DNA sequence: GTAGGTGCAAAAGATTTGCTCTGGC
DNA sequence: GCCAGAGCAAATCTTTTGCACCTAC
């Protein structure tokens, strides 16, 4: 357990957004100067393989990460702002299982992202 | 309309899988020798912007493409073989709309992929 | 004839890796 | 002291781009 790893893990734990490797590097650098992007990538990979981190791709060309929390959720991405909103829908979850089963598969994972634009609500402005 | 573009469009129309740019290049090269990977990328981009082609990312680091067919569908990826199976589930589709609406969003698109392993069926072997 | 398209090679951006050095235990 | 792990720079992989040349209309 080196200081670099400690800092990276801390940064990820403190983030409630979905930072890319570069973001993690930037945030970690503020705390611990002696750190390199390569180490961030290596540590992120370790954490991912250990099942601690989840990798996402929201379509902007780089991987985004978040800690696996107790509650599973999917994401809605605001196409105008890039904001990421988490959602849970048990009905969709079980339908997915059913679809896979019908096709002769056991589900090992899934990726579900919604992309949308905010509905303008005049009374909220 | 150049011969290169004609060939690329033809290759895509003839493919019922989800080829990456490199695959399109390989298939097109067999038909038309005078073609470059750069042209494939440029043409693919044009077709995507024209709404003729859909871009996917199945998690292997390169983009995969398919022609937009009349019927919308999502994908189940066999994690053992890489095989891609298309599926349609209207119930999930409308639940997605509902989820977005509840969060105050109008859906502009979505990405939904299931990852699974084939359930072994002894009587089928 | 010319504007848009092509090929080639180099650039760009994200991620990985080889190698040497270092710091935790 | 040893060895896993760090830093740095170079390599890799996919995709994009600059530029000179070409070709469809």
């Amino acid at each position: 357990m080196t200081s670099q790893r400690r800092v990276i893990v801390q940064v990820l734990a403190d983030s409630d957004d979905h930072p890319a490797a570069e973001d993690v590097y930037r945030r970690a650098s503020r705390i611990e100067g002696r750190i390199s992007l390569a180490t961030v990538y290596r540590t992120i990979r370790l954490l991912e393989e250990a099942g601690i981190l989840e990798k996402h791709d929201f379509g902007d060309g780089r991987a985004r990460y978040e800690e696996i929390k107790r509650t599973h959720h999917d994401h809605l991405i605001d196409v105008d702002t890039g904001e990421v909103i988490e959602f849970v829908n048990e009905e969709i979850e079980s339908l997915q299982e059913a679809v896979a089963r019908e096709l002769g598969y056991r589900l090992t994972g899934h990726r579900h992202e919604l992309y949308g634009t905010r509905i303008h609500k005049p009374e909220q402005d």
Side-chain angles (χ1 to χ4, degrees), chain A residues 19-50:
Chain A
E22 191 82 37
D23 301 320
V24 176
Y25 171 61
R26 200 172 315 111
R27 293 174 198 180
S29 296
R30 270 188 232 120
I31 303 169
E32 163 72 62
R34 291 208 66 67
I35 202 162
S36 73
L37 188 52
T39 297
V40 171
Y41 272 110
R42 279 191 273 239
T43 305
I44 280 178
R45 174 127 69 119
L46 280 179
L47 295 172
E48 198 195 341
E49 284 167 0

Side-chain angles (χ1 to χ4, degrees), chain A residues 35-116:
Chain A
I35 202 162
S36 73
L37 188 52
T39 297
V40 171
Y41 272 110
R42 279 191 273 239
T43 305
I44 280 178
R45 174 127 69 119
L46 280 179
L47 295 172
E48 198 195 341
E49 284 167 0
I52 293 167
L53 220 56
E54 205 170 351
K55 184 185 198 166
H56 296 293
D57 167 25
F58 295 150
D60 59 351
R62 65 240 164 90
R64 313 272 296 269
Y65 298 89
E66 76 177 312
E67 284 202 319
I68 294 181
K69 310 200 184 77
R70 28 259 153 263
T71 54
H72 164 77
H73 58 259
D74 291 308
H75 300 91
L76 187 153
I77 295 97
D78 186 320
V79 295
D80 299 318
T81 66
E83 193 191 348
V84 177
I85 296 150
E86 302 179 350
F87 72 87
V88 184
N89 186 297
E90 290 305 336
E91 222 175 321
I92 292 179
E93 297 298 322
S94 35
L95 280 169
Q96 289 181 155
E97 294 283 351
V99 164
R101 204 177 317 117
E102 271 164 40
L103 292 170
Y105 280 82
R106 186 172 48 76
L107 222 54
T108 60
H110 72 269
R111 174 189 293 187
H112 197 183
E113 290 139 29
L114 305 183
Y115 294 84

Side-chain angles (χ1 to χ4, degrees), chain A residues 1-6 9:
Chain A
M1 179 51 61
T2 59
S3 64
Q4 286 86 342
R5 288 196 179 174
R6 220 185 323 268
V9 169

